[in-house]
Amino acid sequence: MKKYKIAIIKGDGIGPEIIDEAIKVLDAVSINSDCEFSYKEYLMGGNAYEITGDPLPHETIEGCKNSDAVLFGAIGGEQWDSLPRDKRPESGLLRLRAALDLYANFRPVKVYEELVDASTLKREVVEGVDLLVMRELTGGLYFGEPREKGEDKAFNTMVYSKREIVRIAKMAFESAQKRRQKVCSVDKANVLEVSQLWRETVEEVAKDYPDVSLSHMYVDNCAMQLVRDPKQFDVILTGNIFGDILSDEASMISGSIGLLPSASVGGVVGLYEPIHGSAPDITGQGIANPIATIASASMMLRFALGEVEAADKIDRAIDRVLKEGYRTKDISSFGAKEICSTTEIGSIIADYASK
Ligand code: NAD
């Protein structure tokens, strides 16, 4: 029996509600498989600030480093928005990504057939979309120094080293090899020197992956192409700020923010989390959709732990639940047979995943 140590960060808002369902499903899937999970909870975000005065206590970093993978819900809330930058919930997450050296963010976007009509785009545009946005996560404009906010002038710095570009590009090509062998690298090389280095470096890395075709696209064009013809994309490789914006845009192709998982990897331990935030507007009502978090747990099994069969079971259980018409409130207008609470839909997925 293989035993895995999972660090759990529930976070703020709906974080605890959705993580509880993911744990329920992991426990269910372990029943008929040869793996077992032990969980240890750590604090991060607004709740961590309230209890310890720090949105990322040292113990959380150490606990994550000593685990096999980290499963995370969401953080944030209005009550912490006026704190100084280093005390705000999101600074906890940024610091954790840096501490774990999570330089690559994977955001797969898959459109479930039953929910095609949840997209604001036309059925023929979104049907069959299956793409992966790979965003560089620990460099670029969000981390570049110097940075300063003055009274009349403020600035940030966009900086990438060749080393940072090479390592994320390699990951994109390796992912494309397992998919449809296409990488589209997105930059702003017509204007930015940093993008010119990005483009040259990606070209060099591409030489080691002759089976993968590489194209380049300016970020403004990519923003248009994602809504014009998203099916043209397989792997989109891009830097931190472009990836932040494009991955949110790409997620909307699927129509619901409550369905999409993500993984941040690179260092020894990866972080798996839904793409959405802490949804304070629906916290505590029992209506949050836990599917994105459950799908993140599946990504964790597949990529961090190599438990492909168990991951497949979870993915099939999610597909079945959607096919059979079980819906949480956020997607209740699309083919619902039964409207479920967060815990109800989690229990049905857990039941199907245990078989
Ligand atoms: P959000 O993703 O929390 O919510 C946007 C909308 O989507 C809301 O109407 C919400 O109710 C809905 N929604 C989100 N997740 C859902 C789910 N699982 N099921 C059903 N509906 C869902 O984004 P926001 O409102 O812009 O941000 C709220 C807080 O979350 C802010 O403090 C923000 O900083 C934080 N945030 C955190 C993360 C993270 O933890 N990784 C990511 C984004 C935003």
Side-chain angles (χ1 to χ4, degrees):
M1 178 74 82
K2 279 173 275 171
K3 294 188 174 171
Y4 298 108
K5 283 194 287 184
I6 313 294
I8 296 286
I9 301 176
K10 293 186 174 181
D12 306 317
I14 59 168
E17 301 168 49
I18 53 180
I19 285 283
D20 284 349
E21 298 314 304
I23 292 176
K24 193 192 276 178
V25 173
L26 283 171
D27 284 341
V29 85
S30 76
I31 293 172
N32 285 321
S33 65
D34 64 347
C35 53
E36 201 177 273
F37 309 105
S38 66
Y39 312 100
K40 188 138 195 244
E41 263 188 58
Y42 296 97
L43 299 174
M44 183 169 78
N47 66 93
Y49 170 76
E50 296 298 342
I51 296 168
T52 69
D54 185 350
L56 182 66
H58 183 68
E59 193 186 310
T60 299
I61 302 176
E62 287 309 305
C64 291
K65 282 185 177 167
N66 291 321
S67 66
D68 294 307
V70 185
L71 187 62
F72 162 53
I75 49 163
E78 243 176 25
Q79 62 272 49
W80 301 295
D81 282 353
S82 54
L83 289 171
R85 186 157 59 97
D86 64 326
K87 299 285 183 209
R88 287 212 292 266
E90 57 274 22
S91 93
L93 181 55
L94 289 177
R95 275 166 50 209
L96 184 65
R97 285 173 180 163
L100 298 179
D101 202 15
L102 304 177
Y103 61 82
N105 181 241
F106 286 64
R107 275 215 201 173
V109 177
K110 175 178 151 184
V111 175
Y112 291 95
E113 175 55 32
E114 301 72 32
L115 295 175
V116 165
D117 296 323
S119 176
T120 50
L121 300 180
K122 287 183 189 145
R123 170 174 275 271
E124 59 268 29
V125 174
V126 298
E127 218 165 20
V129 164
D130 179 9
L131 61 86
L132 171 68
V133 180
M134 185 165 297
R135 163 188 171 196
E136 200 290 330
L137 205 57
T138 52
L141 193 61
Y142 293 169
F143 291 92
E145 297 285 349
R147 58 194 297 161
E148 196 173 296
K149 180 174 174 302
E151 281 296 308
D152 294 319
K153 202 165 103 181
F155 58 85
N156 291 86
T157 303
M158 188 188 258
V159 57
Y160 268 118
S161 68
K162 196 158 179 158
R163 184 186 75 90
E164 287 174 310
I165 305 166
V166 167
R167 62 185 189 175
I168 182 93
K170 279 184 174 173
M171 227 177 239
F173 284 103
E174 279 160 21
S175 299
Q177 282 178 322
K178 295 181 204 129
R179 296 173 49 95
R180 298 195 305 282
Q181 293 88 38
K182 285 200 304 184
V183 169
C184 177
S185 174
V186 174
D187 61 35
K188 191 71 184 166
N190 50 343
V191 180
L192 301 172
E193 284 75 6
V194 63
S195 281
Q196 288 158 12
L197 180 70
W198 179 280
R199 196 175 274 222
E200 283 164 25
T201 309
V202 172
E203 291 274 355
E204 278 171 31
V205 173
K207 290 184 188 136
D208 294 333
Y209 302 87
D211 51 330
V212 178
S213 74
L214 169 67
S215 59
H216 299 279
M217 199 177 269
Y218 296 136
V219 60
D220 38 354
N221 185 23
C222 185
M224 290 194 290
Q225 295 298 331
L226 271 173
V227 285
R228 194 187 72 84
D229 176 23
K231 273 182 262 194
Q232 70 184 283
F233 295 109
D234 179 19
V235 176
I236 294 176
L237 162 66
T238 191
N240 205 342
I241 184 166
F242 300 155
D244 191 2
I245 299 162
L246 293 177
S247 58
D248 268 19
E249 185 190 359
S251 70
M252 271 295 103
I253 295 168
S254 84
S256 172
I257 199 166
L259 293 173
L260 298 177
S262 78
S264 302
V265 301
V268 187
V269 180
L271 177 79
Y272 296 80
E273 58 173 308
I275 67 155
H276 58 75
S278 58
D281 54 332
I282 58 165
T283 298
Q285 297 176 31
I287 57 172
N289 188 340
I291 291 181
T293 314
I294 295 169
S296 303
S298 160
M299 273 183 99
M300 177 183 81
L301 292 179
R302 192 179 301 282
F303 298 113
L305 312 179
E307 294 292 343
V308 176
E309 209 177 300
D312 285 345
K313 277 187 185 177
I314 296 181
D315 291 350
R316 280 198 300 270
I318 295 172
D319 282 343
R320 185 172 163 194
V321 156
L322 293 175
K323 269 201 182 75
E324 291 178 356
Y326 296 105
R327 302 278 186 269
T328 40
K329 195 168 169 236
D330 53 315
I331 47 172
S332 58
S333 313
F334 310 99
K337 187 191 83 182
E338 195 175 322
I339 312 295
C340 302
S341 69
T342 308
T343 52
E344 283 165 350
I345 204 158
S347 298
I348 302 168
I349 296 172
D351 179 37
Y352 291 172
S354 70
K355 304 223 164 101

